[in-house]
Amino acid sequence: MSGGHLSKEFFELVKSIGESRSKQEEDKIIVGEIAILKQHLSAPNISAKKMKEYMIRAVYAEMLGHDASFAYIHAVKLTHEKNLFAKRIGYLTCNLFLHRDHELMLLLINTMQRDLGSANHIEVCSALTSVCRLVNLEMIPAISPLVFKLLSHPQEAVRKKAVVAVHKFFKIVPEAVLDQKDQIRKVLCDPDPSVMGASLHVLCEVAKAHPASCKDLVPSFVSILKQITEHRLPRDFDYHRMPAPWLQVKLLSILSILGTADKATSEHMYEILQECMRRADSGVNVGYAIIYECVKCITKIFPDHGLLELAASNISRFISSENHNLRYLGVTGLAQIVQVNPQYAAEHQMVVVDCLEDPDETLKRKTLDLLFRMTNPQNVVVVVDKLNFHLRTSVDAHLRRDLVQKITSLAERFAPDNEWYVNTMNTVFELSGELVPAETAYNLMRLVAEGAGEDESADQAFRVFAVNTYLKLLEKSSLSDILVQVIAWVLGEYARLANVDGYTIEDIADLLSECIERPFEDPATRGFLVTALMKLIGQHGVKSTTAEDIIRSYRSSRMTDLQQRCYEFEQLRQSPAVMRKVLPYDASCEDILVNKDLSFLDSFVRRKLDEGAKPYQTAVERARVQEGSVAPKVEAEIKPSLNFMPYEAPTKPQPVAAPVQDVGDAGIAEAPVPKGLNVSGPRKWGPSGYNQPGARPDPPQALHEKPLAPEPNVQAQAQPAPPKVAPKAAEPVVSEKQKMAAALFSGLGGAAAPATAPVAPAAPKPPPARAREPAVEKVMDSSQTAVAAAAAVDLLDLDDAAPAPAPSLQQPKADGDMLLLDMDDSSPGPAAPPQMPQQQQPPLLGPLQVTTAQVAATWPQLASERIVQMHTSLGSCQEMMLKLQSAVNVSPVEIVGMEGIAAGRVLPGNDPCFLHGKLAPPRLDIKVRCRDPGVAQSIAELCQRSLA
Amino acid sequence: MDRQKHIAQTVFRLVSTRVDENCCCFVEDESLFGPDHKIIYRHFATLYFIFIADSAESELGVLDLIQVFVQVLDSCFENVCELDLIYHFDRVNYILDEIVMAGMVLETNADLILKAVKETKKLEQEGSTFGF
């Protein structure tokens, strides 16, 4: 076809645009074109054909990025035409020009309504297409009855489009559609396969939102899928000899939603999945699409050993394929399989390493994701190294943020030792400090302060290491803010431990003072440095000449926090004895006695009252009396010279005046009486008051708050480093790449044996040669993994807990107990027999993997609620979650601050049971929600018993 | 409008810099569409056919859908070429409307799509002779 029937103007336009050499030239042409169009459109009586061309030219102008809103009204007018040709153009251009909240939509509703009821099915179809594109909340009541009626239209094309329109309604207001559920189910049985296929979209959405309501349809879906795979559909639905592949894909994705964590439902699917995969395997692209969908489904539904094997073998073909698309699917699919059972990754080590060096950015990212998911204590060092390398080279902000999060999480979960952890975190801080959340830095500081808590001398050695490392780092000229903050804190606390290159405390103080002059992004950083300097001078009586300069120059800083610190510093310097007391050495973990009653002030208050002072007013009263900054005045009433503002809270300065109760230890408070010295020293209380340990204004305080509850991962690091499965022992033939592969994959699959070390240190140690065996074998030939695995199984006799590296990689392993429970949803290793949960009593609940959104959606539907309130020894939410996992056998869903959500399913069956815990140590509130009141009661009692 | 321009530019930049021989047909760009969405494209001579899909769609499935789309175009225009698409993008849009509706794959049977398109064309022509 040529442009012969087109007007000369349009032809010229397209030609000149095609020939234009720059964007400017193109813009000029379009601006001219718009002027011409405006002129044409204002003329009366334009023929339909001409009108169509003008409209299309207007769309063309919009496509090239220019505004053609002058044509919108004409497009709407065209839809009113009786002439079908004009009407269709009208609808098409409206679809392209307008959006659902456009003001001209009002003019369109009437036409749409009329056309939906038209006898001409082409008109109905056009209107339906437009409805899908443009329908909005207000229109649904007017339009939806008409559309539902169309579901039984004699023309299949109309029924098909009506179903999709219903899908669109569901996206906007689910309730409108759920009322008509029966009608939608009827469409599933439509004799026309296309209409049936369209109905799958709606049902898929409904299944996602309310899985329970669709469970009964599973047999129908399975039988439809069976009929399709058996070529029962008309031949013209075949594509590349594959029967209706898109329908198969859609059906599979619905099945995967409905089978999630539901054993009974999943069992219906096993057979058809196997059959479907077998038949799809014909070597065409779309067949692979079906296989991949099957794999996705298999990893999501209740695991079946045989199917997982099948999925893994198919994925291994994808991943080693030459075709890039298939490799992409292979890597993505493997990441999903690894979540169910990490062992399957071991076979593909070499390919995964190849993918990491692939020039394709997409593939690389997916591979990094895969690596993250298969990390374990053995390969963490190598994997984190890889991730760091990409962090160093990548510029994409999203990728970097993702990488930082991955590295931090891996380092906290699997760090082989504290030194490595500190070095890794330093690298991350250096490379992209701005992306690291503050909590990460606090965790690190806490580790330095508390140590691992097992061996004091080891902790001390670790502190020395940290101090020396940071001292050296400080000499670098450009450091990220967060790193400087960490350095300042560590040096401030432990500078005396430094023993490199003859650094004295004075040198360190000088270094810190120099550092203050550097440019910083976060204003709090300078505060950290000033405080560090203050601590050094307080503890060691260092004579720093620069301190005075610093005080002088930052006393007038615009940052009130920094100003405050400088003034405090100045005051404290005048009485070294107080300073030493206020800033004790290595006391960040110690509790400070606080006299909350402030009885030592009683006499003073009484005297003042006698003298006629106003009585104390609470913050609320004060706020009522006077607006604005009342803090200094109120304090003045009680003790004019007392300064209550502590030096912390750089990150969350709170405008509330410090309540009087905040004065601390009587001893300290009495000391400064003569001069009214600053009492702010000990870091125990902040503006938010001592009674609110939830706030964490300053790292040292954060350390106080959970003295008894080091995070489980911190503990885990303390355990002896597992024996390295170093590829050293392999033959010299082993190439660099293979070495890397071996390192990356150590601990997976066959190498399960060494994993016993961190999990159960008491287990008899396997002979070293034997422990290394599996890894070596894998290096030489991946096909021998089976042998390696057998060897591993051999070793497993020693310790039952070893074979299942916890399948849910999200949680740090805490103890053997938990591991046993986890085995129930991990699938057994190649040589091991299928395993059942090893528990004497049948557990009430099984783990259930859901998202927070799903919990929120299902929560109100569960009728029974029990609330348990108790006193607990748990200090952190992570701890609480671990405890819930091990004692109640539920899976964690999310932790938000001091609240956690966990989900389980009531055994036997699939009824959800959700737990919501709110921790405010020592108080713990747990809400249990499930359908059956009896179960809720027993779970509540179980929680009470196990979490107290 | 600005967002439309931005998306068009970014996607083009992303896709056109990829070499066909050693890249897969999938790109992700979180800053543009958020997570969970990917760009799936196919390159035919001077034309790129680009679809943006969320994770509910099968990647390879969409690739084949592009293939179906191009097949239909081809038989509709008898050896489709770039200029056909520019001059008749109303018809291209109608065809696309038959295949994808409200973001959902509606029809994948090439014959049925062709039939629907031809039928409407016939009716349209009848209609226009009546009207004018």
Side-chain angles (χ1 to χ4, degrees), chain A residues 308-380:
Chain A
L308 272 174
E309 287 279 301
L310 196 61
S313 77
N314 273 302
I315 284 296
S316 76
R317 275 175 34 215
F318 284 1
I319 206 169
S320 38
S321 153
E322 283 295 298
N323 183 324
H324 294 278
N325 294 338
L326 286 186
R327 267 169 72 176
Y328 169 86
L329 291 192
V331 172
T332 338
L334 191 56
Q336 278 162 11
I337 295 185
V338 162
Q339 269 194 320
V340 186
N341 188 340
Q343 296 192 354
Y344 289 109
E347 281 177 53
H348 311 296
Q349 35 180 311
M350 289 309 295
V351 193
V352 173
V353 173
D354 274 343
C355 289
L356 213 50
E357 269 134 44
D358 201 277
D360 186 349
E361 182 74 12
T362 312
L363 198 56
K364 237 188 291 190
R365 287 186 192 198
K366 282 285 160 196
T367 314
L368 288 175
D369 186 50
L370 171 64
L371 279 183
F372 170 69
R373 289 177 197 229
M374 52 184 236
T375 309
N376 60 31
Q378 269 73 52
N379 61 13
V380 65

Side-chain angles (χ1 to χ4, degrees), chain A residues 8 94 97 125 151 233 251 289 294 350 356 365 436 478 483 529 554 564 571 578 709 758 802 860 874 906 938:
Chain A
K8 197 154 182 302
C94 280
F97 284 144
C125 285
L151 286 177
L233 288 190
L251 281 165
C294 286
M350 289 309 295
L356 213 50
R365 287 186 192 198
V436 184
S478 66
L483 188 53
L529 286 164
Y554 288 105
Q564 176 72 32
Q571 292 282 309
V578 179
L874 299 174
V906 181
S938 350

Side-chain angles (χ1 to χ4, degrees), chain A residues 694-818:
Chain A
R696 49 160 73 180
D698 201 32
Q701 184 167 13
L703 293 172
H704 279 304
E705 281 153 9
K706 302 176 195 168
L708 297 170
E711 289 207 336
N713 45 44
V714 180
Q715 271 179 342
Q717 290 148 15
Q719 278 154 356
K724 290 263 157 56
V725 194
K728 261 182 263 160
E731 267 108 288
V733 217
V734 175
S735 72
E736 270 303 301
K737 213 181 237 182
Q738 281 172 321
K739 267 191 210 160
M740 187 165 88
L744 278 174
F745 284 82
S746 58
L748 287 173
T756 47
V759 178
K765 267 204 179 137
R770 213 167 175 195
R772 212 172 281 134
E773 210 172 24
V776 176
E777 268 167 1
K778 271 192 292 134
V779 170
M780 282 152 43
D781 179 2
S782 62
S783 71
Q784 288 181 18
T785 348
V787 183
V793 171
D794 224 25
L795 294 169
L796 298 181
D797 290 344
L798 299 175
D799 181 353
D800 252 355
S808 37
L809 290 170
Q810 263 79 37
Q811 313 100 32
K813 304 171 192 173
D815 48 26
D817 236 354
M818 192 187 117

Side-chain angles (χ1 to χ4, degrees), chain A residues 1 6 11 52 65-66 88 122 132 160-161 194 201 236 239 246 324-325 328-329 360 362 366, chain B residues 1 5 18 21 24-26 28 38 61 64 67 87 90 98 101 104-105 107 109 120 123-124:
Chain A
M1 266 190 204
L6 292 162
F11 185 76
K52 172 203 161 187
H66 291 257
R88 293 232 313 154
I122 303 283
C132 283
K160 185 167 75 180
K161 293 191 177 181
S194 298
H201 294 307
D236 54 352
Y239 175 82
W246 287 277
H324 294 278
N325 294 338
Y328 169 86
L329 291 192
D360 186 349
T362 312
K366 282 285 160 196
Chain B
M1 185 64 103
K5 271 194 225 171
R18 294 169 63 85
E21 289 79 52
C24 61
C25 304
F26 316 117
E28 285 172 36
K38 50 189 77 169
D64 278 292
Q67 179 73 35
Y87 287 127
D90 54 327
E98 289 295 323
M101 193 168 160
M104 303 316 285
V105 181
E107 183 55 75
N109 183 335
T120 40
L123 277 172
E124 253 181 21

Side-chain angles (χ1 to χ4, degrees), chain A residues 792-863:
Chain A
V793 171
D794 224 25
L795 294 169
L796 298 181
D797 290 344
L798 299 175
D799 181 353
D800 252 355
S808 37
L809 290 170
Q810 263 79 37
Q811 313 100 32
K813 304 171 192 173
D815 48 26
D817 236 354
M818 192 187 117
L819 215 65
L820 275 175
L821 289 167
D822 272 349
M823 277 162 62
D824 116 30
D825 66 356
S826 82
S827 105
Q835 287 160 353
M836 295 303 293
Q838 300 174 355
Q839 280 195 330
Q840 267 80 38
Q841 286 179 345
L844 274 167
L845 295 182
L848 177 66
Q849 300 292 343
V850 287
T851 64
T852 314
Q854 283 169 308
V855 173
T858 328
W859 183 273
Q861 296 166 17
L862 303 174

